[in-house]
Amino acid sequence: MRVQITARHMELTDGIKSHVEQSLDKLVQHFDKLIDADVVLSTEKHRHVADITLHANGLRIHSKDATDDMYV
């Protein structure tokens, strides 16, 4: 699986990068052919936003969430 992680208005640390990769590894159980994942992490004022696009089993799955803690 190819994982592309992009950070906007923040620094992408090794801890955040490994946390994202570990979280995405859990998806392998649910999809037979997980091709790639594009993750965009950004900070807007006091919110942390994660925008994820997955390509798996011929599907394109998009999700976006905002929280006060980037590790959530």
Side-chain angles (χ1 to χ4, degrees), residues 8-9 12 15-16 33 43 48-49 53 56 58 62 67-68:
R8 293 186 182 153
H9 307 290
L12 183 62
I16 293 174
K33 299 176 184 175
T43 302
H48 298 282
V49 179
T53 304
H62 180 81
T67 184
D68 293 335

Side-chain angles (χ1 to χ4, degrees), residues 15-60:
I16 293 174
K17 186 176 178 179
S18 66
H19 181 73
V20 169
E21 290 173 348
Q22 289 174 358
S23 298
L24 290 174
D25 284 340
K26 295 176 186 176
L27 293 175
V28 175
Q29 301 170 6
H30 301 286
F31 297 102
D32 296 333
K33 299 176 184 175
L34 192 57
I35 299 170
D36 63 353
D38 295 319
V39 180
V40 178
L41 304 173
S42 62
T43 302
E44 300 173 355
K45 294 188 180 181
H46 300 289
R47 294 183 334 152
H48 298 282
V49 179
D51 191 5
I52 302 171
T53 304
L54 299 173
H55 294 97
N57 295 350
L59 298 172
R60 179 183 168 268

